[in-house]
Amino acid sequence: QVQLAESGGGLVQPGSSLRLSCETSGFSLRSYNIGWFRQAPGKEREGVSCISRSDGSTYYADSVKGRFIMYKDNTQSTVYLQMNSLKPEDTAVYYCVVSSAKFPSDYGVRAPWDLLRDFGSWGQGTQVTVSS
């Protein structure tokens, strides 16, 4: 059974850094698409970063490129999101999500945003608030 547990959120000032963690169990990280999504009040949930199971590529939303880094530790079954230069607009609940789904073979290599959003297993979320 897939289990996910996020931690590391908090209240920080603009320009600060945070590292979110997602402890996983019940499956192998190597065989799953994994991602971080976020949802701000009154807004739809949006993808922040993801890693493809097909080739290990990492993808980022344009709004976080150059500031956030997603990586995983397969031996400890933990996924991380290092968030630097935080802005007030990064304020949201951040969710870890995983999915074993695959695109059809003729789709080529692409970011698994839809696979995660539509077929994923989700953690409970952790609140990140960026405010002065």
Side-chain angles (χ1 to χ4, degrees):
Q1 181 180 359
V2 171
Q3 291 189 321
L4 309 172
E6 302 97 331
S7 62
L11 171 62
V12 296
Q13 293 187 338
S16 299
S17 297
L18 275 178
R19 189 180 74 165
L20 304 184
S21 300
C22 176
E23 295 186 12
T24 74
S25 62
F27 66 101
S28 171
L29 277 178
R30 293 182 177 87
S31 302
Y32 275 63
N33 302 299
I34 52 178
W36 288 94
F37 281 63
R38 67 186 181 186
Q39 188 166 21
K43 295 187 176 182
E44 293 187 356
R45 193 171 294 188
E46 63 173 355
V48 175
S49 182
C50 63
I51 296 176
S52 169
R53 64 170 290 183
S54 64
D55 66 351
S57 295
T58 306
Y59 300 87
Y60 297 95
D62 288 343
S63 58
V64 307
K65 279 181 183 176
R67 299 189 298 122
F68 290 10
I69 301 171
M70 179 179 178
Y71 59 101
K72 60 178 179 170
D73 184 335
N74 289 326
T75 60
Q76 297 194 8
S77 299
T78 304
V79 182
Y80 300 96
L81 184 68
Q82 177 67 43
M83 306 187 295
N84 302 317
S85 302
L86 282 162
K87 303 176 181 180
E89 51 264 44
D90 295 319
T91 295
V93 178
Y94 284 71
Y95 298 90
C96 177
V97 56
V98 299
S99 170
S100 62
K102 297 180 182 180
F103 288 116
S105 58
D106 58 348
Y107 272 37
V109 177
R110 62 179 64 189
W113 299 116
D114 290 342
L115 298 178
L116 291 163
R117 185 182 294 109
D118 297 341
F119 304 106
S121 298
W122 297 80
Q124 82 286 354
T126 184
Q127 176 71 46
V128 172
T129 303
V130 184
S131 175
S132 55

